[in-house]
Amino acid sequence: MTVVRYEVERGIATITLDSPRNRNALSNALRTGLAEALASAAGDADVRGVVLTGAGPAFCAGADLKEAASGEPPTGPGIPELLGTLLDHPKPVIARLNGPARAGGLGLVAACDIAVAPDDVTFAFTEVRIGVAPAVIAVACRLRMTPRALSRYFLTGETFSAADAVASGLLTAAAPRDELDALVEGMADGLRKAEPKAVARTKRLVDELAALDRADAFALAERLSLEFFMSPEAAEGRLSFFEKRPPSWAR
């Protein structure tokens, strides 16, 4: 049974976690399917961005506890590999939550570049309440969330709202359900209009600058700025601006 669906329309790959029977838990099959879908998007030059969403009432419930309790060794990519793939993906990834997320599901949200959700969904790091630590997902979540919010929700396991998730940095935005599709489509349309090489390099740049002191960060930024301003793509961008037409890469 296919538990991950993959579709491409107008340059946007939509990856749907489709295992509602277990609330899209991160089973062996789902992790494998998600890794394959992300690889397909990365290798397709026509794909400008990825939307990650879920089917059914939940986005992702986290680890598949029944599989974990079965005693069978796990197969397929592990959660660290999946989160790393999302963080390092060459295409921007938008998490479009369809419902609540728990535990490891919040790792997926944090690993995406942009994350939006209906304003009525809830979140919780439930690990401590079942006697485990949110260790692996902490690597991704600490990149997005404020330290105070991260400590509170990690340590208490309490449920928090979409508005709290936005305030914490976990979500980019929350919107009423009937406005969410328009919000995501606006973001996807922006990716269609952006030059692919510039988008990919900008995504990497954000992480690179965070690891440098100020002098080295300015030096890298200056070199990169000059490189791109002298590129054929920048020349086409300037020409299209003066000629009042879309650039050649726009979809």
Side-chain angles (χ1 to χ4, degrees):
M1 183 176 64
T2 301
V3 294
V4 176
R5 290 187 277 114
Y6 180 79
E7 305 164 287
V8 178
E9 182 178 355
R10 294 184 57 220
I12 300 298
T14 299
I15 300 174
T16 305
L17 309 181
D18 193 8
S19 184
R21 63 178 179 79
N22 64 356
R23 299 175 68 82
N24 298 322
L26 295 166
S27 64
N28 294 332
L30 189 139
R31 295 196 316 275
T32 299
L34 177 54
E36 291 173 349
L38 289 169
S40 294
D44 188 343
D46 290 332
V47 169
R48 301 294 182 84
V50 177
V51 173
L52 176 62
T53 190
F59 174 68
C60 179
D64 189 322
L65 298 181
K66 288 185 178 180
E67 275 193 356
S70 70
E72 295 292 324
T75 61
I79 293 178
E81 183 179 343
L82 275 181
L83 299 185
T85 298
L86 284 166
L87 288 166
D88 296 335
H89 204 276
K91 316 293 174 72
V93 184
I94 302 170
R96 189 261 191 227
L97 277 68
N98 55 300
R102 296 289 187 270
L106 298 184
L108 296 182
V109 176
C112 294
D113 299 289
I114 300 169
V116 299
D119 58 10
D120 60 355
V121 304
T122 59
F123 304 83
F125 294 99
T126 53
E127 288 88 346
V128 293
R129 297 199 177 189
I130 61 169
V132 298
V136 173
I137 64 171
V139 177
C141 291
R142 67 182 294 272
L143 299 174
R144 313 297 187 198
M145 300 179 69
T146 65
R148 286 297 190 188
L150 188 69
S151 293
R152 174 183 176 179
Y153 298 128
F154 265 20
L155 296 175
T156 66
E158 67 188 280
T159 299
F160 56 103
S161 68
D164 291 329
V166 173
S168 77
L170 179 64
L171 284 182
T172 307
R177 284 186 178 269
D178 60 359
E179 298 176 12
L180 196 64
D181 285 341
L183 176 63
V184 174
E185 180 56 28
M187 295 174 177
D189 196 47
L191 297 178
R192 293 185 183 104
K193 294 175 180 176
E195 199 283 310
K197 293 178 184 176
V199 169
R201 191 64 187 89
T202 300
K203 177 173 175 173
R204 298 201 312 274
L205 177 65
V206 172
D207 289 335
E208 290 171 351
L209 293 178
L212 299 174
D213 62 31
R214 186 170 65 180
D216 288 340
F218 272 127
L220 171 62
E222 187 175 34
R223 290 196 304 271
L224 188 61
S225 180
L226 180 60
E227 174 188 333
F228 269 84
F229 268 104
M230 298 298 291
S231 70
E233 291 80 13
E236 163 63 8
R238 290 190 294 271
L239 186 61
S240 67
F241 175 80
F242 292 126
E243 294 180 350
K244 296 182 170 52
R245 59 168 176 82
S248 58
W249 57 77
R251 294 289 179 85

